[in-house]
Amino acid sequence: MGGRPRAVAVNVAANTNEPGFRGPVYPDGSFAYVPIPEDAPTRPREGFPTDEPLPTYGDLDVPFSLPNTLLGTPIHADPEFPDVHGRERATYGDPFGVKAGPIATLGPGDWLLFYATLTLRPADWRGPGEETVSDAGADGRSGDWLAEEGVPVADALAPDWGAYLFAAMRIDRVLSEPTRDEAAEVAPTNAHLKRDPFDARMIVAGEREASGLFDRVVPLSTPGAGVEANRLVTERSSDSGKGPWWRRPLRFGSDATAELLDRMRLA
């Protein structure tokens, strides 16, 4: 690809709507990636491009307990990263034009970044509940508890929840408005190929060796409040940082992408 790389960041992963809790970010900036549930009809297993089951919450490799009633619920394993939650490829698909449009402007060598809203939790957080989310067995400790107990927290983290970059995918191929067969050629394990009907308006295949989770998050919120965007959003992205900016795709030009790449390497 000619020219310097650009980037687009999109919001993914568990949230207070689906499945009812955010993933944790720990005081040192490490975190756990929790996908959303699969909320669309899916094909029978024999209709998948690859011979694999539909993954569930019980298949996730997370350092806390999930509610028992959630364990059999299928997950929408998208994005997927090599060696994360049992996946082998780097892929992403999206059915919504608000995300698919900006991503479709990228090409090989550009970066697709992923951010999530995460809740600050103690390093030994037990999880969101035993039977249902937020039941009597839930571990409700978060930022207030950490402050009361005097637990050291990385300076850049928001005091309760915040928006954080947590993963990146260097693009190998982008397909805009693909057919099911076209998508299956480049991203056969992507979650949208398990849906019936196939609904992705855009499919990305990432470079395996240059795609994955960070060791530490890169904050997009200020240390003051999760709703407040920091300079990576207000000065370096195309977004104003006003309103619910943490739900929108963020575009970054080549200079801003270079800064982000430096931050990612330190994360």
Side-chain angles (χ1 to χ4, degrees), residues 210-255:
S211 302
L213 305 184
F214 304 156
D215 291 330
R216 300 287 187 272
V217 296
V218 175
L220 296 175
S221 296
T222 70
V227 297
E228 296 176 353
N230 68 22
R231 62 174 293 275
L232 290 179
V233 178
T234 60
E235 298 179 20
R236 304 304 276 155
S237 87
S238 61
D239 196 273
S240 66
K242 298 178 180 178
W245 58 270
W246 60 89
R247 299 174 186 166
R248 300 191 290 255
L250 307 173
R251 304 186 194 212
F252 298 92
S254 56
D255 288 344

Side-chain angles (χ1 to χ4, degrees), residues 121-122 124-130 134-142 145:
R121 300 289 190 184
D124 62 346
W125 186 58
R126 295 186 298 273
E130 296 175 357
S134 297
D135 71 359
D139 184 348
R141 295 176 298 162
S142 57
W145 183 90

Side-chain angles (χ1 to χ4, degrees), residues 11-26 31-37 56-58 60-75 85 116-121 125-135 137-142 160-162:
N11 183 315
V12 296
N15 56 64
T16 53
N17 292 321
E18 298 181 297
F21 66 94
R22 300 184 184 96
V25 60
Y26 301 113
F31 63 95
Y33 164 43
V34 183
I36 60 172
T56 68
Y57 279 99
L60 297 182
D61 179 18
V62 293
F64 53 85
S65 296
L66 291 166
N68 290 334
T69 52
L70 196 60
L71 298 181
T73 300
I75 59 171
H85 297 322
T117 54
L118 304 173
T119 297
L120 185 60
R121 300 289 190 184
W125 186 58
R126 295 186 298 273
E130 296 175 357
E131 296 299 329
T132 60
V133 174
S134 297
D135 71 359
D139 184 348
R141 295 176 298 162
S142 57
D160 181 18
W161 70 270

Side-chain angles (χ1 to χ4, degrees), residues 58-199:
D59 297 319
L60 297 182
D61 179 18
V62 293
F64 53 85
S65 296
L66 291 166
N68 290 334
T69 52
L70 196 60
L71 298 181
T73 300
I75 59 171
H76 186 67
D78 195 23
E80 59 175 350
F81 301 101
D83 305 318
V84 177
H85 297 322
R87 312 309 296 165
E88 297 180 358
R89 294 177 172 85
T91 77
Y92 180 69
D94 204 286
F96 301 111
V98 67
K99 292 183 181 179
I103 295 171
T105 67
L106 302 177
D110 287 332
W111 289 88
L112 179 54
L113 310 179
F114 300 95
Y115 71 94
T117 54
L118 304 173
T119 297
L120 185 60
R121 300 289 190 184
D124 62 346
W125 186 58
R126 295 186 298 273
E130 296 175 357
E131 296 299 329
T132 60
V133 174
S134 297
D135 71 359
D139 184 348
R141 295 176 298 162
S142 57
D144 288 342
W145 183 90
L146 292 166
E148 290 171 2
E149 296 296 315
V151 178
V153 174
D155 291 341
L157 300 183
D160 181 18
W161 70 270
Y164 301 95
L165 291 168
F166 71 93
M169 193 176 293
R170 189 160 68 186
I171 294 174
D172 180 36
R173 292 188 65 181
V174 178
L175 299 181
S176 183
E177 302 291 347
T179 65
R180 182 185 290 273
D181 288 344
E182 289 170 340
E185 287 185 7
V186 301
T189 57
N190 184 266
H192 290 271
L193 284 160
K194 298 176 174 67
R195 287 184 168 183
D196 191 13
F198 172 71
D199 63 351

